[in-house]
Amino acid sequence: MPLLVVDGANVVGSVPDGWWRDRRAAAERLRDRLVAYAESGVPGCPGPLEVVLVVEGAARGVESVPGVRVESAPGSGDDHIVELVRQAAGARPVLVVTADRELRRRVTAHGADVTGPRAVRP
């Protein structure tokens, strides 16, 4: 099953909807939207998918829900995403959702594909 790894801070921050007032609630809204992608997939990566939302900072502690595993990065969210990609490298396809150029470079070096936040926006 392909792995979809979502850079929570980057995706939440891509829409100026007031997310900065409550980062945790913004991450929960994103998590809830991601549930549908576990079955349907995203453009270029049909479902079913294992969906992992990586959160950091004030969003740490957001709970997983059926269809979306939430991982609270103990440090840098980017470093945690790279580690998830590294662990899955070669075993299955991995798609990372982020607009962060440096993170894109790091995960593609481990064989992941990358798409932008629009892939998971309503």
Side-chain angles (χ1 to χ4, degrees):
M1 177 182 299
L3 175 63
L4 180 71
V5 181
V6 180
D7 179 355
N10 187 267
V11 173
V12 165
S14 70
V15 179
D17 62 359
W19 59 264
W20 51 89
R21 289 189 288 267
D22 190 344
R23 293 169 195 248
R24 184 182 176 104
E28 289 170 339
R29 287 191 301 274
L30 173 58
R31 175 205 60 201
D32 294 347
R33 282 198 323 267
L34 292 172
V35 170
Y37 298 109
E39 286 302 317
S40 68
V42 296
C45 192
L49 306 172
E50 178 183 355
V51 179
V52 178
L53 171 62
V54 176
V55 296
E56 62 187 322
R60 282 189 187 105
V62 169
E63 298 292 326
S64 296
V65 296
V68 179
R69 185 174 84 233
V70 180
E71 293 205 9
S72 293
S76 158
D78 290 1
D79 290 347
H80 193 73
I81 290 167
V82 171
E83 181 58 22
L84 289 172
V85 169
R86 190 192 64 72
Q87 289 173 6
R92 60 183 169 158
V94 180
L95 179 63
V96 176
V97 180
T98 188
D100 181 311
R101 286 188 183 133
E102 176 61 15
L103 179 57
R104 284 173 172 253
R105 184 194 64 74
R106 292 174 67 194
V107 299
T108 56
H110 290 287
D113 290 319
V114 180
T115 191
R118 287 187 180 147
V120 295
R121 277 196 262 179

